[in-house]
PDB file of all heavy atoms in Angstrom:
ATOM      1  N   VAL K  12     -21.101   2.286 -23.295  1.00 49.00           N
ATOM      2  CA  VAL K  12     -20.702   1.781 -21.981  1.00 49.00           C
ATOM      3  C   VAL K  12     -19.787   2.811 -21.342  1.00 49.00           C
ATOM      4  O   VAL K  12     -18.837   3.282 -21.973  1.00 49.00           O
ATOM      5  CB  VAL K  12     -19.955   0.437 -22.111  1.00 49.00           C
ATOM      6  CG1 VAL K  12     -19.458  -0.015 -20.758  1.00 49.00           C
ATOM      7  CG2 VAL K  12     -20.855  -0.605 -22.746  1.00 49.00           C
ATOM      8  N   THR K  13     -20.064   3.162 -20.093  1.00 47.00           N
ATOM      9  CA  THR K  13     -19.224   4.105 -19.358  1.00 47.00           C
ATOM     10  C   THR K  13     -18.622   3.388 -18.164  1.00 47.00           C
ATOM     11  O   THR K  13     -19.341   2.786 -17.370  1.00 47.00           O
ATOM     12  CB  THR K  13     -20.053   5.310 -18.869  1.00 47.00           C
ATOM     13  OG1 THR K  13     -20.676   5.918 -19.995  1.00 47.00           O
ATOM     14  CG2 THR K  13     -19.169   6.310 -18.156  1.00 47.00           C
ATOM     15  N   ILE K  14     -17.289   3.450 -18.047  1.00 45.00           N
ATOM     16  CA  ILE K  14     -16.583   2.830 -16.924  1.00 45.00           C
ATOM     17  C   ILE K  14     -15.909   3.941 -16.137  1.00 45.00           C
ATOM     18  O   ILE K  14     -15.061   4.647 -16.667  1.00 45.00           O
ATOM     19  CB  ILE K  14     -15.542   1.813 -17.411  1.00 45.00           C
ATOM     20  CG1 ILE K  14     -16.225   0.725 -18.236  1.00 45.00           C
ATOM     21  CG2 ILE K  14     -14.773   1.231 -16.244  1.00 45.00           C
ATOM     22  CD1 ILE K  14     -15.292  -0.251 -18.883  1.00 45.00           C
ATOM     23  N   THR K  15     -16.323   4.109 -14.895  1.00 46.00           N
ATOM     24  CA  THR K  15     -15.722   5.154 -14.069  1.00 46.00           C
ATOM     25  C   THR K  15     -14.883   4.593 -12.942  1.00 46.00           C
ATOM     26  O   THR K  15     -13.934   5.210 -12.504  1.00 46.00           O
ATOM     27  CB  THR K  15     -16.798   6.075 -13.477  1.00 46.00           C
ATOM     28  OG1 THR K  15     -17.704   5.281 -12.727  1.00 46.00           O
ATOM     29  CG2 THR K  15     -17.534   6.829 -14.563  1.00 46.00           C
ATOM     30  N   SER K  16     -15.223   3.406 -12.451  1.00 42.00           N
ATOM     31  CA  SER K  16     -14.526   2.863 -11.292  1.00 42.00           C
ATOM     32  C   SER K  16     -13.089   2.480 -11.606  1.00 42.00           C
ATOM     33  O   SER K  16     -12.233   2.542 -10.754  1.00 42.00           O
ATOM     34  CB  SER K  16     -15.275   1.662 -10.711  1.00 42.00           C
ATOM     35  OG  SER K  16     -15.339   0.630 -11.668  1.00 42.00           O
ATOM     36  N   VAL K  17     -12.787   2.100 -12.846  1.00 44.00           N
ATOM     37  CA  VAL K  17     -11.423   1.726 -13.194  1.00 44.00           C
ATOM     38  C   VAL K  17     -10.507   2.937 -13.110  1.00 44.00           C
ATOM     39  O   VAL K  17      -9.429   2.877 -12.536  1.00 44.00           O
ATOM     40  CB  VAL K  17     -11.369   1.090 -14.604  1.00 44.00           C
ATOM     41  CG1 VAL K  17      -9.934   0.878 -15.037  1.00 44.00           C
ATOM     42  CG2 VAL K  17     -12.129  -0.219 -14.609  1.00 44.00           C
ATOM     43  N   SER K  18     -10.922   4.062 -13.637  1.00 42.00           N
ATOM     44  CA  SER K  18     -10.076   5.253 -13.586  1.00 42.00           C
ATOM     45  C   SER K  18      -9.876   5.719 -12.151  1.00 42.00           C
ATOM     46  O   SER K  18      -8.798   6.161 -11.783  1.00 42.00           O
ATOM     47  CB  SER K  18     -10.643   6.378 -14.446  1.00 42.00           C
ATOM     48  OG  SER K  18     -11.901   6.777 -13.959  1.00 42.00           O
ATOM     49  N   THR K  19     -10.904   5.608 -11.323  1.00 44.00           N
ATOM     50  CA  THR K  19     -10.767   5.964  -9.916  1.00 44.00           C
ATOM     51  C   THR K  19      -9.770   5.032  -9.234  1.00 44.00           C
ATOM     52  O   THR K  19      -8.921   5.469  -8.470  1.00 44.00           O
ATOM     53  CB  THR K  19     -12.129   5.892  -9.208  1.00 44.00           C
ATOM     54  OG1 THR K  19     -13.031   6.754  -9.875  1.00 44.00           O
ATOM     55  CG2 THR K  19     -12.013   6.292  -7.759  1.00 44.00           C
ATOM     56  N   HIS K  20      -9.868   3.736  -9.519  1.00 46.00           N
ATOM     57  CA  HIS K  20      -8.956   2.756  -8.938  1.00 46.00           C
ATOM     58  C   HIS K  20      -7.514   3.029  -9.379  1.00 46.00           C
ATOM     59  O   HIS K  20      -6.600   3.022  -8.566  1.00 46.00           O
ATOM     60  CB  HIS K  20      -9.385   1.346  -9.352  1.00 46.00           C
ATOM     61  CG  HIS K  20      -8.481   0.276  -8.859  1.00 46.00           C
ATOM     62  ND1 HIS K  20      -8.394  -0.064  -7.532  1.00 46.00           N
ATOM     63  CD2 HIS K  20      -7.602  -0.505  -9.512  1.00 46.00           C
ATOM     64  CE1 HIS K  20      -7.513  -1.027  -7.386  1.00 46.00           C
ATOM     65  NE2 HIS K  20      -7.020  -1.310  -8.575  1.00 46.00           N
ATOM     66  N   LEU K  21      -7.326   3.308 -10.672  1.00 43.00           N
ATOM     67  CA  LEU K  21      -5.979   3.581 -11.163  1.00 43.00           C
ATOM     68  C   LEU K  21      -5.418   4.850 -10.533  1.00 43.00           C
ATOM     69  O   LEU K  21      -4.255   4.894 -10.172  1.00 43.00           O
ATOM     70  CB  LEU K  21      -5.977   3.697 -12.693  1.00 43.00           C
ATOM     71  CG  LEU K  21      -6.248   2.405 -13.451  1.00 43.00           C
ATOM     72  CD1 LEU K  21      -6.337   2.676 -14.951  1.00 43.00           C
ATOM     73  CD2 LEU K  21      -5.183   1.364 -13.158  1.00 43.00           C
ATOM     74  N   LYS K  22      -6.236   5.865 -10.378  1.00 50.00           N
ATOM     75  CA  LYS K  22      -5.776   7.099  -9.752  1.00 50.00           C
ATOM     76  C   LYS K  22      -5.354   6.842  -8.310  1.00 50.00           C
ATOM     77  O   LYS K  22      -4.337   7.334  -7.850  1.00 50.00           O
ATOM     78  CB  LYS K  22      -6.866   8.166  -9.811  1.00 50.00           C
ATOM     79  CG  LYS K  22      -6.397   9.506  -9.292  1.00 50.00           C
ATOM     80  CD  LYS K  22      -7.458  10.556  -9.476  1.00 50.00           C
ATOM     81  CE  LYS K  22      -6.945  11.883  -8.958  1.00 50.00           C
ATOM     82  NZ  LYS K  22      -7.915  12.949  -9.095  1.00 50.00           N
ATOM     83  N   ALA K  23      -6.118   6.028  -7.581  1.00 48.00           N
ATOM     84  CA  ALA K  23      -5.763   5.691  -6.202  1.00 48.00           C
ATOM     85  C   ALA K  23      -4.448   4.927  -6.162  1.00 48.00           C
ATOM     86  O   ALA K  23      -3.590   5.187  -5.326  1.00 48.00           O
ATOM     87  CB  ALA K  23      -6.873   4.865  -5.559  1.00 48.00           C
ATOM     88  N   GLU K  24      -4.268   3.960  -7.080  1.00 52.00           N
ATOM     89  CA  GLU K  24      -3.019   3.187  -7.128  1.00 52.00           C
ATOM     90  C   GLU K  24      -1.829   4.102  -7.387  1.00 52.00           C
ATOM     91  O   GLU K  24      -0.772   3.933  -6.805  1.00 52.00           O
ATOM     92  CB  GLU K  24      -3.097   2.121  -8.233  1.00 52.00           C
ATOM     93  CG  GLU K  24      -4.039   0.991  -7.936  1.00 52.00           C
ATOM     94  CD  GLU K  24      -3.508   0.025  -6.903  1.00 52.00           C
ATOM     95  OE1 GLU K  24      -2.291  -0.211  -6.868  1.00 52.00           O
ATOM     96  OE2 GLU K  24      -4.309  -0.479  -6.123  1.00 52.00           O
ATOM     97  N   GLU K  25      -1.996   5.069  -8.282  1.00 60.00           N
ATOM     98  CA  GLU K  25      -0.911   5.979  -8.625  1.00 60.00           C
ATOM     99  C   GLU K  25      -0.599   6.947  -7.491  1.00 60.00           C
ATOM    100  O   GLU K  25       0.492   7.493  -7.438  1.00 60.00           O
ATOM    101  CB  GLU K  25      -1.270   6.754  -9.886  1.00 60.00           C
ATOM    102  CG  GLU K  25      -1.342   5.874 -11.117  1.00 60.00           C
ATOM    103  CD  GLU K  25      -1.916   6.584 -12.320  1.00 60.00           C
ATOM    104  OE1 GLU K  25      -2.280   7.767 -12.196  1.00 60.00           O
ATOM    105  OE2 GLU K  25      -2.017   5.951 -13.373  1.00 60.00           O
ATOM    106  N   SER K  26      -1.549   7.153  -6.575  1.00 80.00           N
ATOM    107  CA  SER K  26      -1.333   8.120  -5.501  1.00 80.00           C
ATOM    108  C   SER K  26      -0.489   7.548  -4.358  1.00 80.00           C
ATOM    109  O   SER K  26      -0.130   8.268  -3.447  1.00 80.00           O
ATOM    110  CB  SER K  26      -2.668   8.623  -4.962  1.00 80.00           C
ATOM    111  OG  SER K  26      -3.331   7.595  -4.263  1.00 80.00           O
ATOM    112  N   LEU K  27      -0.163   6.235  -4.393  1.00 88.00           N
ATOM    113  CA  LEU K  27       0.674   5.610  -3.371  1.00 88.00           C
ATOM    114  C   LEU K  27       1.936   5.064  -4.018  1.00 88.00           C
ATOM    115  O   LEU K  27       1.865   4.204  -4.888  1.00 88.00           O
ATOM    116  CB  LEU K  27      -0.080   4.471  -2.670  1.00 88.00           C
ATOM    117  CG  LEU K  27       0.723   3.673  -1.641  1.00 88.00           C
ATOM    118  CD1 LEU K  27       1.155   4.566  -0.474  1.00 88.00           C
ATOM    119  CD2 LEU K  27      -0.081   2.494  -1.144  1.00 88.00           C
ATOM    120  N   ASN K  28       3.068   5.608  -3.615  1.00 92.00           N
ATOM    121  CA  ASN K  28       4.356   5.145  -4.118  1.00 92.00           C
ATOM    122  C   ASN K  28       5.100   4.410  -3.014  1.00 92.00           C
ATOM    123  O   ASN K  28       5.121   4.865  -1.869  1.00 92.00           O
ATOM    124  CB  ASN K  28       5.212   6.326  -4.601  1.00 92.00           C
ATOM    125  CG  ASN K  28       4.586   7.009  -5.793  1.00 92.00           C
ATOM    126  OD1 ASN K  28       4.271   6.375  -6.784  1.00 92.00           O
ATOM    127  ND2 ASN K  28       4.379   8.307  -5.680  1.00 92.00           N
ATOM    128  N   ILE K  29       5.701   3.278  -3.367  1.00 93.00           N
ATOM    129  CA  ILE K  29       6.498   2.485  -2.432  1.00 93.00           C
ATOM    130  C   ILE K  29       7.876   2.321  -3.050  1.00 93.00           C
ATOM    131  O   ILE K  29       7.998   1.850  -4.181  1.00 93.00           O
ATOM    132  CB  ILE K  29       5.874   1.094  -2.213  1.00 93.00           C
ATOM    133  CG1 ILE K  29       4.444   1.232  -1.708  1.00 93.00           C
ATOM    134  CG2 ILE K  29       6.717   0.281  -1.237  1.00 93.00           C
ATOM    135  CD1 ILE K  29       3.679  -0.072  -1.691  1.00 93.00           C
ATOM    136  N   TYR K  30       8.894   2.722  -2.305  1.00 94.00           N
ATOM    137  CA  TYR K  30      10.252   2.587  -2.837  1.00 94.00           C
ATOM    138  C   TYR K  30      11.248   2.387  -1.708  1.00 94.00           C
ATOM    139  O   TYR K  30      10.979   2.813  -0.585  1.00 94.00           O
ATOM    140  CB  TYR K  30      10.620   3.803  -3.699  1.00 94.00           C
ATOM    141  CG  TYR K  30      10.483   5.139  -2.990  1.00 94.00           C
ATOM    142  CD1 TYR K  30      11.559   5.686  -2.295  1.00 94.00           C
ATOM    143  CD2 TYR K  30       9.287   5.842  -2.994  1.00 94.00           C
ATOM    144  CE1 TYR K  30      11.446   6.901  -1.637  1.00 94.00           C
ATOM    145  CE2 TYR K  30       9.167   7.053  -2.347  1.00 94.00           C
ATOM    146  CZ  TYR K  30      10.240   7.581  -1.679  1.00 94.00           C
ATOM    147  OH  TYR K  30      10.132   8.784  -1.032  1.00 94.00           O
ATOM    148  N   PRO K  31      12.382   1.730  -1.927  1.00 96.00           N
ATOM    149  CA  PRO K  31      12.630   0.885  -3.102  1.00 96.00           C
ATOM    150  C   PRO K  31      11.819  -0.398  -2.982  1.00 96.00           C
ATOM    151  O   PRO K  31      11.494  -0.830  -1.880  1.00 96.00           O
ATOM    152  CB  PRO K  31      14.117   0.582  -3.019  1.00 96.00           C
ATOM    153  CG  PRO K  31      14.432   0.643  -1.559  1.00 96.00           C
ATOM    154  CD  PRO K  31      13.511   1.683  -0.984  1.00 96.00           C
ATOM    155  N   ASN K  32      11.503  -0.985  -4.095  1.00 95.00           N
ATOM    156  CA  ASN K  32      10.758  -2.246  -4.109  1.00 95.00           C
ATOM    157  C   ASN K  32      11.203  -3.043  -5.320  1.00 95.00           C
ATOM    158  O   ASN K  32      10.914  -2.633  -6.434  1.00 95.00           O
ATOM    159  CB  ASN K  32       9.259  -1.988  -4.163  1.00 95.00           C
ATOM    160  CG  ASN K  32       8.441  -3.233  -3.919  1.00 95.00           C
ATOM    161  OD1 ASN K  32       8.925  -4.227  -3.431  1.00 95.00           O
ATOM    162  ND2 ASN K  32       7.171  -3.155  -4.282  1.00 95.00           N
ATOM    163  N   PRO K  33      11.951  -4.113  -5.113  1.00 96.00           N
ATOM    164  CA  PRO K  33      12.264  -4.808  -3.864  1.00 96.00           C
ATOM    165  C   PRO K  33      13.311  -4.062  -3.035  1.00 96.00           C
ATOM    166  O   PRO K  33      14.000  -3.177  -3.536  1.00 96.00           O
ATOM    167  CB  PRO K  33      12.797  -6.165  -4.324  1.00 96.00           C
ATOM    168  CG  PRO K  33      13.324  -5.928  -5.688  1.00 96.00           C
ATOM    169  CD  PRO K  33      12.488  -4.825  -6.273  1.00 96.00           C
ATOM    170  N   SER K  34      13.418  -4.488  -1.761  1.00 95.00           N
ATOM    171  CA  SER K  34      14.413  -3.895  -0.865  1.00 95.00           C
ATOM    172  C   SER K  34      14.948  -4.953   0.085  1.00 95.00           C
ATOM    173  O   SER K  34      14.504  -6.090   0.061  1.00 95.00           O
ATOM    174  CB  SER K  34      13.814  -2.730  -0.078  1.00 95.00           C
ATOM    175  OG  SER K  34      13.298  -3.135   1.147  1.00 95.00           O
ATOM    176  N   ILE K  35      15.862  -4.531   0.940  1.00 94.00           N
ATOM    177  CA  ILE K  35      16.401  -5.455   1.942  1.00 94.00           C
ATOM    178  C   ILE K  35      15.640  -5.343   3.266  1.00 94.00           C
ATOM    179  O   ILE K  35      16.046  -5.908   4.262  1.00 94.00           O
ATOM    180  CB  ILE K  35      17.911  -5.251   2.156  1.00 94.00           C
ATOM    181  CG1 ILE K  35      18.195  -3.808   2.556  1.00 94.00           C
ATOM    182  CG2 ILE K  35      18.690  -5.635   0.912  1.00 94.00           C
ATOM    183  CD1 ILE K  35      19.627  -3.571   2.994  1.00 94.00           C
ATOM    184  N   GLY K  36      14.522  -4.602   3.265  1.00 92.00           N
ATOM    185  CA  GLY K  36      13.691  -4.538   4.465  1.00 92.00           C
ATOM    186  C   GLY K  36      13.166  -3.168   4.822  1.00 92.00           C
ATOM    187  O   GLY K  36      12.266  -3.041   5.630  1.00 92.00           O
ATOM    188  N   SER K  37      13.694  -2.116   4.222  1.00 94.00           N
ATOM    189  CA  SER K  37      13.253  -0.766   4.524  1.00 94.00           C
ATOM    190  C   SER K  37      12.499  -0.194   3.321  1.00 94.00           C
ATOM    191  O   SER K  37      13.019  -0.168   2.209  1.00 94.00           O
ATOM    192  CB  SER K  37      14.466   0.115   4.839  1.00 94.00           C
ATOM    193  OG  SER K  37      14.062   1.453   5.026  1.00 94.00           O
TER     194      SER K  37
END
Side-chain angles (χ1 to χ4, degrees):
V12 176
T13 303
I14 301 174
T15 57
S16 62
V17 172
S18 63
T19 303
H20 177 70
L21 291 175
K22 185 175 181 180
E24 290 286 325
E25 293 171 359
S26 69
L27 176 63
N28 295 307
I29 303 170
Y30 56 90
N32 191 16
S34 92
I35 57 171
S37 175

